Amino acid sequence: MARTLPLTLPGSLLLSDMDGPGAYSGVEHVCMDVSPKGDRYLLTRIRQISAGRKEGMCAHLISRFRPDGGLAGRLVLHLSRGVGERETLGGLPTTIDDLCVLPDGSLALTAAQGEVFLVDAELRGTIGSWGGDRSTSWDEWDVSEHLRGGFATLIRTTPAGRLLCVVPEREAGGMGTRPNLIGLAEDPLTAEERPTVRIIKALVVPGDGPFTGKWVADEGSPRLPHTIHDGAPAGPGNRPTPSLLTEVRDRGCGGVWSLSPRRADFHYEAYRVLAEDRFVIPLFESPRPDRWSSYSYALIDDRGTLIGELESPGRGDSSPIPGEHYAVVTDPARGRAYHVNHSGLYMWDADGRLLARLPTTEKAYKGLRHLKPMACAPDGTLILIRPEHDLMLDIEIPDDPADLGPVVAEALSDHTRRRNRLKKEWKPVDWRWVENEAPLTHL
């Protein structure tokens, strides 16, 4: 069984004069997470410029969908108006890059610098935060203070309620940060208490292999008080070795030996929990990757041991890099991982073995080219979106991988029929589905 729903936008935020030269409307659905009860939380960024460039609007918001697909409410994280220099009208002091539903049902919104903002499950507002002082200007920004006061760039919840965390460190030769330390927190993250993160792996260790000075700094970088490795806070001089990049390269996973003269890119949408003790860590060649670039969806356990990788879709026409189809989503309860790119849909088991591949060269699966996987529901349903049409598609995944093809083919056919019906009913302009009924809260 399949279900197609429009990803609506709040009309009260949108600009009205969007007909004419110079008008622009861009919507990006960044990420999604699903609560154990089945509520879906979607992070969206909207950017609009009116005709003649008279007005501009930028908004970041979270939408909450009930298990039945109904829209329960929205929270505006950022709102600004104007063209060129924009006036900020309210919201968080930084751009949110990712979100995670915590074991207690609240949300953790994370930023690249390791800042975390906690939001209640009903999207009424923030209930706490972890980060450094933002009262100073950028040129006075204290990177070390932010690293010491923050928590993680990315958080994922395991089935048992542990937190898989990616903790940033100071960028080599710059004022910014890089996600680098991978660890686990056993205790809850709350507004009052920041749990200790046991570091199990580092993406890069300066001096380890060919990556010296190309990712994180040792000089001038702090050790992080909320982390632990070998009995002391992790950071310069105290990171797990060998690094994941070095280990993956030495084992030849995904042909990543060619990563040696370069750094690797970080893709939030592919860091996933595949089982209580098994995690997907993506490694992609950079800068300026192409379809022949190396990559690996590495698998590590909860001790940081590299145990393999998701069997690579391959390079060339099978590569996820063209179109930036990096996303992987997982169903830990059933030990399944899924990926969709221009070449097709891939399903793996918890050991990284490829169970099924549905190629887009076959007519029945051609529609997969337009879809992006976002999450898996607690019942195993695969949730995808069609970005250019702002539609969400649910596919109930069968237990037997041999049945996946017919199920997906029927879901894609039903999606096309439902999309056409929705278009007749709603009459959207440029595939923008607009409503004003759902509760809208501003920070």
Side-chain angles (χ1 to χ4, degrees):
M1 181 178 175
R3 179 174 66 179
T4 295
L5 297 168
L7 295 171
T8 60
L9 302 176
S12 60
L13 292 183
L14 304 181
L15 301 180
S16 56
D17 186 11
M18 297 300 296
D19 266 335
Y24 167 80
S25 181
V27 176
E28 178 188 12
H29 300 295
V30 181
C31 61
M32 175 187 288
D33 201 9
V34 186
S35 76
K37 296 179 180 179
D39 287 336
R40 305 173 185 189
Y41 296 89
L42 177 67
L43 173 62
T44 301
R45 297 173 185 158
I46 307 170
R47 180 78 176 103
Q48 287 190 317
I49 298 176
S50 67
R53 298 181 61 85
K54 297 175 183 177
E55 295 181 278
M57 184 277 292
C58 179
H60 302 168
L61 61 145
I62 299 174
S63 301
R64 176 189 167 210
F65 298 89
R66 292 184 292 268
D68 64 3
L71 184 59
R74 289 190 171 99
L75 178 65
V76 179
L77 306 176
H78 166 86
L79 179 63
S80 59
R81 300 278 185 183
V83 178
E85 292 218 8
R86 300 195 296 265
E87 178 188 4
T88 299
L89 303 178
L92 299 178
T94 188
T95 298
I96 297 302
D97 298 301
D98 198 71
L99 66 79
C100 171
V101 179
L102 297 176
D104 66 358
S106 63
L107 304 185
L109 315 181
T110 54
Q113 301 84 10
E115 290 172 291
V116 178
F117 300 88
L118 303 177
V119 172
D120 71 286
E122 304 297 324
L123 300 185
R124 289 182 293 248
T126 55
I127 54 178
S129 65
W130 292 93
D133 180 13
R134 280 198 165 267
S135 62
T136 58
S137 61
W138 172 251
D139 57 352
E140 297 173 332
W141 198 61
D142 189 331
V143 177
S144 295
E145 179 196 350
H146 274 267
L147 290 173
R148 285 191 292 261
F151 183 68
T153 297
L154 176 147
I155 304 171
R156 298 284 182 262
T157 304
T158 73
R162 297 191 293 177
L163 303 180
L164 174 69
C165 304
V166 182
V167 180
E169 293 194 83
R170 190 185 187 104
E171 180 181 22
M175 292 179 62
T177 61
R178 291 281 184 191
N180 193 50
L181 301 175
I182 301 167
L184 286 163
E186 307 286 339
D187 298 321
L189 172 65
T190 67
E192 295 77 27
E193 187 170 354
R194 181 177 58 166
T196 298
V197 180
R198 173 175 56 89
I199 302 302
I200 60 174
K201 204 71 177 174
L203 290 177
V204 173
V205 176
D208 173 29
F211 306 106
T212 303
K214 293 186 181 293
W215 190 262
V216 294
D218 265 343
E219 186 176 345
S221 187
R223 288 197 178 184
L224 306 172
H226 64 292
T227 65
I228 190 166
H229 173 65
D230 279 348
N238 187 36
R239 304 180 181 95
T241 56
S243 69
L244 184 58
L245 274 171
T246 294
E247 201 170 1
V248 166
R249 184 206 64 205
D250 290 348
R251 287 180 55 170
C253 294
V256 178
W257 53 80
S258 64
L259 268 169
S260 57
R262 306 181 180 184
R263 64 174 177 85
D265 261 346
F266 183 80
H267 296 290
Y268 295 86
E269 64 268 42
Y271 281 76
R272 298 295 176 186
V273 172
L274 184 50
E276 182 60 36
D277 60 352
R278 196 150 301 187
F279 315 121
V280 180
I281 309 296
L283 300 170
F284 278 82
E285 198 170 35
S286 178
R288 295 183 296 277
D290 58 34
R291 64 192 183 123
W292 299 109
S293 297
S294 300
Y295 68 92
S296 175
Y297 291 111
L299 293 177
I300 66 171
D301 66 17
D302 57 357
R303 296 171 296 177
T305 303
L306 176 64
I307 56 177
E309 64 176 340
L310 301 180
E311 288 184 10
S312 172
R315 289 187 272 185
D317 292 339
S318 298
S319 172
I321 294 174
E324 299 184 347
H325 296 282
Y326 301 112
V328 168
V329 298
T330 54
D331 176 9
R334 296 159 188 80
R336 296 287 187 262
Y338 305 93
H339 168 72
V340 178
N341 66 34
H342 280 308
S343 68
L345 184 151
Y346 299 80
M347 172 200 275
W348 297 273
D349 67 13
D351 294 318
R353 289 188 294 264
L354 186 63
L355 298 178
R357 176 178 180 268
L358 308 180
T360 54
T361 51
E362 295 186 19
K363 185 178 180 181
Y365 310 129
K366 191 174 180 180
L368 290 169
R369 294 173 180 264
H370 307 289
L371 300 176
K372 175 184 176 181
M374 298 297 287
C376 286
D379 64 359
T381 295
L382 177 61
I383 305 168
L384 308 105
I385 64 169
R386 185 164 185 166
E388 75 270 28
H389 291 166
D390 281 349
L391 292 170
M392 178 166 56
L393 170 63
D394 292 0
I395 302 178
E396 290 187 6
I397 301 297
D399 293 331
D400 188 346
D403 296 330
L404 182 66
V407 169
V408 170
E410 176 56 32
L412 293 174
S413 179
D414 180 80
H415 172 70
T416 299
R417 292 192 297 268
R418 178 62 178 157
R419 179 196 63 186
N420 293 336
R421 285 199 297 269
L422 286 169
K423 189 176 181 182
K424 289 180 180 179
E425 293 170 10
W426 286 67
K427 298 179 174 55
V429 177
D430 295 330
W431 295 100
R432 301 292 183 242
W433 317 89
V434 180
E435 63 81 38
N436 280 307
E437 296 180 2
L440 182 67
T441 303
H442 290 255
L443 286 181

